[in-house]
Each structure stands twice: as structure tokens, then as C-alpha cells.
Amino acid sequence: MRALVYRGAGALALEDVAMPVPGPGEAVVRVDAVGICGSDLHAYQGHDPRRPPPLVLGHEAAGVVMAGTAPGERVTINPLVTCGACDACVAGRDNLCPERQILSMPPRPGAFAEAVAVPERNLVAVPEGVPMAEAALVEPIACGWHAFSVAARGMARPVSAGRVVVLGGGAIGIGAALVARHHGVADLWIAETNALRLPVLERLGLARIYSPGEGGPLPGSADLVIDAHGSKATQAAATALARPGGHVLHIGLAGGRCGLDLRRVTLQEITVIGTYTYTMADFRETARALFHGRFGDFAWVEERQLAEGPQALADLVGGKVAASKLVLRP
């Protein structure tokens, strides 16, 4: 089969590789759509030691079961593989499983390929009529679903009653904003610095869009700030934006030195929470909402062919893509 193989910093090649062999309880899924995540870009640039070359990247996928107990079924894939038996898994916090694995990180090849092997318990059926490119978006949106759930449990008043600012207009940020709107947040802002993305975000009508440092209206202090990028700059902005007693949710993993203003965090009793991926329950709830059209249209998504993958990642790194998400079609 064909797959995009990461060979080193900035090097990605379309190659012929062996078909995946399913282990016990696993299925082989023909990949029909797979999104490019920020973590894929991080690895592609040589910044992620957890993803050493050679490796097939990609974990936001949907397709059709080729081999398993339900051949022919349309599915979206939860790429987070957990043990199911530890304290975290039993408590429903399987995203914290100490034995967790994820597609696109050894020992599991990713989904920038024509097929991928995954445990059958990680598959969620996709109804007829739901485009595969949309079904592949369950994974990034589920990150926002989980984060919003964590925030809602920890805040003194309903999140929907306050101001929410999302830092980053990529797929994770858009997903978090979509979930916030789904849960009734009216005072919603998105910060984005990529000038190409700004018109796309504006046309969505999802939130008030602003570009830090470019003038125009700014959100002021917020009850909840969601850092969907995770750089030193966005960490600093998050703690500056949070109102006294407010919350900062950290989802993004851009890396670099910490930019949190811990003095302000202390003096203003700002709660900073790290959130990682999602639980299986979060994933299923997100899928249900998406399949029922709760997240509107997906005009923020651009599709390209798998063979165009090397150029697609290069374009994303170079800031040449207006869409918040690129989806590859094997």
C-alpha cells in the first residue's frame, strides 16, 4: 500500500509499505480521510523526539473496515489506545492510562496511509450520508469537547454565562470554539495571527475574530481562556487575559519555553489546567454531536490527495494555508 513516510526534519515521501497486520481484537481500516494535526507538523519539523523517523504520521482518520468483525462498516477512529484495566481506565479517565499509545507514535504506525490497524473497541460507526472528511474531524473536535468538560466542572459559574477566548484558529481552536458555542457560550472570541486564516474565520460567524497587535477590538479579560496553540507567546497571553479568579485551559503542544506569568497566576488566583486528548466517552459524545449536525458546516476544511501530503505539510509550516484544517484523501 502507499503511505507518507516521515524520513527526517522536513522530509516526507510517498512510499510503498507493507499492509498492516491486525493484532488480537484489531481491525484493518481502509483510510478514506485523514487530517493533518499540529503534532504531525511538530514531528515533520524534527521537534518531537517521541516520533522518530522513519514513521508514518497521522492520527485523525475515518474510513471503512477491511478486516475485522464488521467488514464494510464506515467508521471514525479514536487513535488513543489504552489498556482498559488500570485505575485511570476503570475510572473513565482512559486518556491518562499509563500504558496509552497513539497512532503515529511508536509502536503504532499512523494513518497517512491507505490502511491502518486499530483495536475494534476504538472504532465508532459513521452513519451513511456523513462525509468521511467530516467524520475524520471527530478526533480534533473531541479535544475541545474534553477540555470544555474539564472547565465546566471546575468553574464557579456556568461557562456559558461568561466570556471565553480561544487562542489559535487552527482545528483544535476551531473545535474548542464549536464546542463552546454548542454549549451556549455567546461571548466567544478567537485570536489568530495568520492573516490568510482571518477571512475564513470571519465568514464562519462562529465568534469575534481578532489578530493580537493588529489593532481593532480586543476581548478584554475573560472567564475562560483556551490556549489551543501552546507557545510561549500564547501562554503569556492566556495568563494576561484571564480575569481574577478565571481559568486557563492549556490544550496546545507547540512547545518551547514556558510563558505562563506565574506571579499573576498566584496574585489573581487564576486556575491553570492542562487537558490531554479526550476519553472514549468524550469521543463518542463528540461523534454523536457531529453526526447530528451540531457543529455547522465545515467551510474551514480543505481537502487534498495523499500524494500531495509533502507539499501540504510544507505549506502549513510556511503559513500558506487559509483553511484551519487540511484533510488528505488516500
Side-chain angles (χ1 to χ4, degrees):
M1 69 171 186
R2 297 184 309 161
L4 289 176
V5 181
Y6 163 57
R7 289 290 178 182
L12 196 67
L14 188 66
E15 302 180 10
D16 288 323
V17 302
M19 282 289 292
V21 177
E26 292 189 342
V28 174
V29 177
R30 184 193 76 215
V31 178
D32 282 352
V34 55
I36 301 175
C37 178
S39 63
D40 298 317
L41 295 180
H42 200 57
Y44 168 73
Q45 296 175 85
H47 299 325
D48 190 350
R50 303 173 305 164
R51 290 178 166 91
L55 183 66
V56 178
L57 301 172
H59 60 269
E60 305 173 356
V64 177
V65 175
M66 298 172 62
T69 59
E73 185 171 55
R74 307 172 80 240
V75 295
T76 186
I77 298 172
N78 176 351
L80 194 65
V81 180
T82 59
C83 76
C86 67
D87 289 346
C89 286
V90 171
R93 304 186 73 187
D94 36 306
N95 61 318
L96 301 181
C97 173
E99 303 298 323
R100 71 193 182 202
Q101 300 173 349
I102 192 166
L103 302 186
S104 79
M105 192 180 297
R108 292 191 172 272
F112 284 172
E114 293 181 321
V116 65
V118 64
E120 292 193 300
R121 67 177 184 272
N122 284 55
L123 303 179
V124 175
V126 177
E128 292 294 335
V130 175
M132 283 302 191
E134 294 181 12
L137 300 176
V138 171
E139 196 280 340
I141 297 175
C143 293
W145 190 283
H146 175 70
F148 193 88
S149 299
V150 170
R153 290 195 297 268
M155 296 181 68
R157 63 172 177 162
V159 185
S160 59
R163 174 174 294 155
V164 176
V165 177
V166 178
L167 303 181
I172 297 298
I174 287 286
L178 287 169
V179 172
R181 183 67 79 193
H182 172 69
H183 285 285
V185 174
D187 193 354
L188 180 62
W189 297 68
I190 299 175
E192 175 57 56
T193 58
N194 183 341
L196 291 178
R197 276 186 182 164
L198 294 174
V200 176
L201 295 173
E202 289 281 4
R203 285 196 295 271
L204 290 177
L206 175 63
R208 296 191 69 178
I209 311 301
Y210 73 102
S211 182
E214 295 299 321
L218 298 173
S221 59
D223 299 272
L224 174 64
V225 184
I226 300 176
D227 184 351
H229 185 61
S231 67
K232 183 179 180 181
T234 55
Q235 290 167 0
T239 42
L241 282 166
R243 69 170 77 253
H247 283 62
V248 171
L249 273 178
H250 196 273
I251 309 176
L253 290 171
R257 296 178 59 188
C258 180
L260 293 174
D261 182 350
L262 293 180
R263 179 176 175 82
R264 186 167 192 277
V265 166
T266 301
L267 292 175
Q268 303 297 342
E269 285 198 354
I270 295 168
T271 301
V272 180
I273 305 173
T275 68
Y276 178 69
T277 62
Y278 34 75
T279 66
M280 190 65 200
D282 293 322
F283 193 90
R284 291 186 182 280
E285 290 169 2
T286 304
R288 189 178 302 113
L290 187 149
F291 298 157
H292 284 85
R294 302 291 188 261
F295 301 132
D297 65 49
F298 292 91
W300 45 278
V301 178
E302 178 186 334
E303 297 181 32
R304 299 190 189 183
Q305 296 302 304
L306 183 69
E308 300 175 275
Q311 187 61 54
L313 270 78
D315 287 347
L316 285 166
V317 170
K320 299 177 181 179
V321 178
S324 295
K325 171 62 68 178
L326 282 187
V327 172
L328 301 178
R329 303 301 300 264

